[in-house]
Amino acid sequence: MGSVRVNRYSIVSTEEDGHKVSALGSMNGHSRNGKGHAPRRKHRNRFVKKNGQCNVYFANLSNKSQRYMADIFTTCVDTRWRYMLMIFSAAFLVSWLFFGFLFWCIAFFHGDLNAPAVGGGPSLLKPCIMHVNSFLGAFLFSVETQTTIGYGFRCVTEECPLAIMAVVVQSIVGCVIDSFMIGTIMAKMARPKKRAQTLLFSHHAVISVRDGKLCLMWRVGNLRRSHIVEAHVRAQLIKPYMTEEGEYLPLDQRDLNVGYDVGLDRIFLVSPIIIVHEIDEESPLYGIGKEELETENFEIVVILEGMVEATAMTTQARSSYLASEILWGHRFEPVVFEEKNHYKVDYSRFHKTYEVAGTPCCSARELQESKMTILPSPPPPSAFCYENELALVSQDEDEDDDEVGVALGGSTKEEGGVIQMMDFGSHLDLERLQATLPLDTISYRRESAI
């Protein structure tokens, strides 16, 4: 049975909610004296930074130290490397000093530190610890015992059972400290947190038409050759929200459907992939057009999760897009090209976009209400587009004119000359020629075969 989702998006971005938010001092497009003015986007602090760090500060926590010490292992794993090394160095030094002082006290009360017997002869008293005549000697014996160095010069005797017990206790304490330090360092090194540094998000998100519908899109990529197993994406829109009862939620989180119902949220991240959110009736962006986008104050948090292939540990990469970082009427430039024996990914184009003429400026709601058809019919295979132009521009300079003519599928000399002139023209020229220039069905997949 499929899961039922509650439709919470029908109460977002309405005029009534805008007046409610304005009662709390939000920007509503009117000044205090009643004179109208153009709405302006209020500066918004990021909830999630572009590098994935959450911009949240915790204050007034009760019993914070006790709670952190109760989970000391996680606290050490989350601690920075310099602080962790300082903590373990201090733990070793304190244990050495403590047991050194204990051995010095045992030797002192046993009389091992006293002068030789009367008459100047050697002392007949057998010491508890051989060759320990000062605190420095006791400290060295403590270090040798805990680190199992064993120089063979200082040793404990059977004269004092208390000294033997102290050696046993120090050996156990040393093993505990060593195990805790090694386990923490291994857990800290094996964390998949740094793996997220090689998972890339595009600098901007775009809104354009895909398959006849307005869609929000952003691009993700993997910079390593090792794969992310079971990779899947999620997205949430965060913005202030006023409930019907008057409760103000400063960070209301709403899901953006990226194909969860049909499994499109699970991706095979070998090459960069464009994630698509279709702006439909259930989308919180349903009533937002190009003009509304310029004044909106929201943030879209995008999340990529998966297991690291080398360690099978789950990693998560995050980023976010403010409303000002969403480009209306743009598409991403292609980055994957088919070569002779392989596919090439050009990451220099990963963040680049280009403007698409003819993208409607109204919202998806207005398109639905007006029954407008964005694309009357699917474009013919020969329709010239920017991807084709990009493939033509990126052709190798050392190819001669004969190879170009063969790759174009036997087009005439006149048509080939027109296409070569397009490389230096603007997008407006391409749009004019698109309707008048007949092109054969050509596959522009290869970058070097054109």
Side-chain angles (χ1 to χ4, degrees):
M1 296 177 63
S3 59
V4 178
R5 293 191 174 185
V6 179
N7 185 1
R8 304 172 57 210
Y9 301 141
S10 59
I11 56 177
V12 178
S13 301
T14 61
E15 184 178 359
E16 182 180 357
D17 293 334
H19 291 298
K20 290 182 180 180
V21 175
S22 65
L24 293 177
S26 301
M27 300 298 293
N28 60 355
H30 297 276
S31 60
R32 293 183 178 180
N33 56 10
K35 295 181 179 180
H37 58 82
R40 300 175 59 185
R41 179 186 287 123
K42 182 180 178 182
H43 175 72
R44 177 185 178 86
N45 292 325
R46 287 186 179 274
F47 186 66
V48 176
K49 298 180 180 179
K50 296 294 285 186
N51 59 2
Q53 295 181 355
C54 297
N55 190 22
V56 179
Y57 173 75
F58 300 101
N60 302 324
L61 292 178
S62 60
N63 302 325
K64 178 180 178 180
S65 301
Q66 292 82 350
R67 296 176 185 272
Y68 276 61
M69 291 301 295
D71 190 12
I72 184 64
F73 184 79
T74 304
T75 302
C76 291
V77 172
D78 292 339
T79 306
R80 294 180 178 272
W81 279 101
R82 52 178 175 269
Y83 298 133
M84 188 189 67
L85 295 177
M86 290 175 58
I87 290 173
F88 283 114
S89 300
F92 280 115
L93 186 60
V94 169
S95 64
W96 294 338
L97 290 173
F98 173 76
F99 284 101
F101 178 75
L102 181 60
F103 291 135
W104 180 83
C105 291
I106 294 174
F108 176 79
F109 289 107
H110 189 261
D112 298 346
L113 306 181
N114 296 336
V118 180
S123 176
L124 300 178
L125 181 64
K126 188 175 182 179
C128 292
I129 305 174
M130 299 295 294
H131 302 98
V132 173
N133 301 319
S134 62
F135 176 77
L136 184 59
F139 177 75
L140 292 176
F141 177 73
S142 174
V143 174
E144 294 175 14
T145 301
Q146 187 166 332
T147 58
T148 65
I149 294 178
Y151 289 121
F153 186 70
R154 299 177 180 85
C155 62
V156 65
T157 64
E158 67 275 6
E159 183 69 18
C160 300
L162 184 61
I164 298 176
M165 293 180 60
V167 171
V168 173
V169 173
Q170 185 178 12
S171 299
I172 296 174
V173 172
C175 290
V176 172
I177 297 177
D178 290 341
S179 302
F180 198 86
M181 181 187 68
I182 294 173
T184 304
I185 292 178
M186 288 298 298
K188 196 173 182 65
M189 293 179 61
R191 282 193 310 172
K193 184 177 181 180
K194 295 300 182 181
R195 181 63 174 89
Q197 302 297 326
T198 53
L199 298 176
L200 198 61
F201 291 91
S202 58
H203 292 162
H204 294 85
V206 299
I207 293 179
S208 63
V209 177
R210 173 172 284 196
D211 294 332
K213 298 180 181 179
L214 283 177
C215 297
L216 171 70
M217 294 175 283
W218 64 93
R219 179 182 275 165
V220 296
N222 181 17
L223 300 182
R224 288 187 179 272
R225 298 184 65 89
S226 59
H227 299 168
I228 297 295
V229 183
E230 292 292 333
H232 57 278
V233 293
R234 294 187 292 120
Q236 288 187 333
L237 185 141
I238 301 177
K239 65 179 298 184
Y241 173 68
M242 175 77 70
T243 64
E244 295 180 356
E245 295 77 17
E247 181 184 4
Y248 179 70
L249 305 178
L251 296 173
D252 182 51
Q253 301 181 11
R254 299 173 182 270
D255 290 335
L256 295 178
N257 188 8
V258 291
Y260 173 78
D261 297 332
V262 294
L264 296 179
D265 62 323
R266 299 187 177 274
I267 57 178
F268 184 48
L269 193 58
V270 177
S271 61
I273 295 178
I274 297 177
I275 309 301
V276 180
H277 163 67
E278 182 180 322
I279 304 178
D280 53 11
E281 294 83 354
E282 297 183 355
S283 172
L285 304 176
Y286 187 58
I288 298 179
K290 183 177 181 180
E291 295 183 358
E292 292 82 1
L293 184 64
E294 297 175 354
T295 58
E296 281 290 335
N297 184 25
F298 62 80
E299 179 179 359
I300 296 178
V301 178
V302 293
I303 301 172
L304 172 62
E305 293 179 331
M307 291 188 299
V308 181
E309 187 179 30
T311 61
M313 300 182 69
T314 303
T315 184
Q316 183 182 92
R318 299 178 295 267
S319 186
S320 67
Y321 301 102
L322 300 178
S324 58
E325 296 172 342
I326 300 177
L327 304 178
W328 188 282
H330 282 242
R331 290 178 187 167
F332 288 104
E333 291 189 3
V335 295
V336 181
F337 301 94
E338 183 179 359
E339 297 294 332
K340 183 176 181 180
N341 297 320
H342 62 276
Y343 291 89
K344 184 182 74 173
V345 178
D346 186 3
Y347 271 99
S348 64
R349 307 179 187 272
F350 184 84
H351 301 287
K352 294 181 179 180
T353 64
Y354 65 95
E355 188 173 0
V356 180
T359 303
C361 298
C362 58
S363 64
R365 182 201 303 270
E366 295 173 348
L367 288 176
Q368 180 68 21
E369 293 176 353
S370 61
K371 306 297 182 181
M372 292 177 58
T373 303
I374 302 176
L375 293 177
S377 60
S382 61
F384 200 87
C385 62
Y386 178 73
E387 285 82 357
N388 299 340
E389 179 202 6
L390 180 61
L392 291 173
V393 173
S394 59
Q395 64 181 342
D396 298 333
E397 296 180 357
D398 56 344
E399 292 184 347
D400 53 294
D401 297 335
D402 296 335
E403 294 179 351
V404 174
V406 172
L408 290 175
S411 60
T412 61
K413 181 178 180 180
E414 182 179 356
E415 293 176 355
V418 173
I419 295 177
Q420 293 178 4
M421 292 176 61
M422 289 180 183
D423 297 344
F424 307 95
S426 61
H427 294 288
L428 296 178
D429 296 333
L430 296 175
E431 294 171 8
R432 297 192 189 100
L433 291 174
Q434 180 175 354
T436 59
L437 179 62
L439 296 178
D440 296 333
T441 303
I442 303 171
S443 175
Y444 292 101
R445 295 178 300 171
R446 289 191 179 179
E447 181 186 18
S448 62
I450 298 177

